[in-house]
Amino acid sequence: MTVGGDTDFDVVLAGPVFFDIIFTGLPGSPPPGTETFAQGMGASPGGIANLAVATRRLGLRTALATVIGGDAYGRWTWELLSQEGVDLRYSRRLPDWHTSVTVSLIEDGDRAMVTHAHDDPVSSQELLADGVSARAAILDLSGLATGTDTWWRRAARQGTRLFAGTGWDPSGAWDVSDLDPLADCHCFIVNAGEAMGYARADTPLEAARWLATRVPLAVVTCGPDGAVAVDAISGEEASVPAIAAEVLDATGAGDVFTAAFVVATLQEWSLSRRLAFAALAAGLAVQNFGGALGAPGWCDIADWWAVVGPDADEEIAARYGFLTELLRAADLRSVRRADPTLRFAEDRSAADLLPSITPVPRPTPDSTHDPR
């Protein structure tokens, strides 16, 4: 299924990309001074790449504005995103910049992460200075550029629908002024802990109702309890349970939920159907390893419905019966999953992948060298 429209893109994304290394099948967390062997390992793009791959796999024309390093991790990430069909015309490859790396240790369906990263040397404001024509944009309120002439505010004035999220506030302050950019947004998608923190509410639904006083559409994800949403324009409220799933890796599940919700919104589906589709996509994502490469394609949705649909009870049939017709026009090609190592194009060496990038010069004995 392709959404399409009279713009250059269906969705534009901006933010940092990470290279994720995932270790699975750990017997336990390794204590200091010991070595633990993992049964499995995968490599996947992470960060904003989670949303880029997830939206593209569900048929959106996706543009990504980011900075990618000239190291092997960056070359592999650039190639993979290109192979997925993500448009990188607004992104830059920097030969002397190293890719941010996150190592995830998966244990009992949850994960611990170690990250080495630096702020991108080129901002999204610079990357998108000339503007972009898109039906939707997905924003992270954390560290979002402010001002009246930001790329996202210009996009909103031109009709782009802005879908916003945010990150966890480790200070616990939950300053409501952080939500001021919602005045320009169409939708705010946030998890239950974050929503209740800002709203000072006791339940996700109470939090969603409070958030709906600040944005036209508030969506609160509740992990294994599904999601709730409140439409401030129509007054409609909706909720959906999560699908039954064996959780292998929850990395990027929230991004997949957001991607699917945007896809459904651009199709102008009902609020309850949008929630159901997003919950399904997220439920399929957690059954695979890796943020970006765990994102489902239409083939995964078709496989799920082929198993669940024939014996679905009345409630499931009512919630997901629309898939039968939808899947007839969907692209059912299989999608790539996380590899245990970096796999470059078979007919090219790693050195040939980015001919425009010159090698980083080796430091001389008299020069200073930043080990980053």
Side-chain angles (χ1 to χ4, degrees):
M1 183 191 73
T2 301
V3 175
D6 55 1
T7 57
D8 293 338
F9 300 100
D10 293 312
V11 64
V12 60
L13 310 164
V17 164
F18 291 75
F19 176 80
D20 289 351
I21 301 172
I22 307 104
F23 290 107
T24 65
L26 294 168
S29 300
T34 67
E35 182 178 14
T36 298
F37 288 86
Q39 295 179 8
M41 171 184 169
S44 173
I48 195 66
N50 295 345
L51 280 165
V53 173
T55 53
R56 187 69 196 99
R57 286 184 174 182
L58 293 177
L60 296 191
R61 299 167 299 155
T62 301
L64 174 61
T66 192
V67 175
I68 295 179
D71 52 14
Y73 297 148
R75 292 195 295 268
W76 178 83
T77 298
W78 186 280
E79 182 178 273
L80 187 146
L81 290 172
S82 298
Q83 291 171 347
E84 288 283 342
V86 177
D87 193 296
L88 298 173
R89 72 182 68 181
Y90 299 103
S91 296
R92 292 189 193 175
R93 300 172 291 183
L94 299 183
D96 55 353
W97 182 253
H98 80 78
T99 306
S100 298
V101 176
T102 293
V103 176
S104 294
L105 307 178
I106 308 300
E107 183 181 356
D108 296 329
D110 207 344
R111 74 257 190 223
M113 295 179 286
V114 178
T115 295
H116 177 68
H118 300 280
D119 292 337
D120 284 350
V122 184
S123 69
S124 58
Q125 183 67 17
E126 295 174 85
L127 295 172
L128 295 167
D130 295 331
V132 59
S133 172
R135 300 177 68 198
I138 303 176
L139 312 173
D140 183 348
L141 297 187
S142 305
L144 191 65
T146 57
T148 58
D149 196 39
T150 56
W151 72 266
W152 53 274
R153 281 200 165 107
R154 291 200 308 270
R157 290 194 291 268
Q158 294 167 3
T160 300
R161 283 193 272 190
L162 305 183
F163 294 76
T166 191
W168 182 259
D169 182 356
S171 73
W174 302 109
D175 186 348
V176 294
S177 66
D178 296 340
L179 305 181
D180 288 347
L182 292 180
D184 296 287
C185 294
H186 170 73
C187 177
F188 188 42
I189 303 175
V190 64
N191 70 40
E194 295 157 351
M196 291 187 292
Y198 280 118
R200 278 67 174 174
D202 294 325
T203 69
L205 180 56
E206 289 176 7
R209 289 168 176 164
W210 182 86
L211 290 170
T213 65
R214 306 182 68 94
V215 67
L217 181 58
V219 180
V220 178
T221 61
C222 308
D225 295 323
V228 298
V230 176
D231 187 324
I233 305 300
S234 67
E236 181 183 4
E237 296 181 357
S239 64
V240 64
I243 67 166
E246 179 182 352
V247 179
L248 298 180
D249 181 8
T251 303
D255 292 326
V256 171
F257 182 100
T258 296
F261 193 85
V262 171
V263 170
T265 299
L266 294 181
Q267 290 284 76
E268 305 297 341
W269 293 349
S270 68
L271 183 57
S272 59
R273 182 172 292 187
R274 281 180 273 170
L275 278 184
F277 184 68
L280 170 59
L284 295 176
V286 301
Q287 299 178 60
N288 294 288
F289 294 113
L293 294 182
W298 286 106
C299 56
D300 302 298
I301 295 171
D303 288 345
W304 178 82
W305 188 236
V307 173
V308 174
D311 298 318
D313 60 28
E314 185 175 340
E315 183 180 355
I316 294 294
R319 185 175 299 125
Y320 289 108
F322 71 94
L323 291 175
T324 301
E325 181 66 28
L326 185 66
L327 290 168
R328 291 196 178 104
D331 182 352
L332 300 182
R333 287 177 293 181
S334 60
V335 296
R336 179 176 178 176
R337 294 303 177 200
D339 291 322
T341 187
L342 280 71
R343 297 181 185 274
F344 292 98
E346 293 181 356
D347 60 343
R348 291 182 293 169
S349 69
D352 294 330
L353 288 174
L354 297 180
S356 62
I357 289 183
T358 56
V360 179
R362 294 179 179 272
T364 64
D366 296 329
S367 68
T368 59
H369 176 54
D370 182 350
R372 295 182 301 174

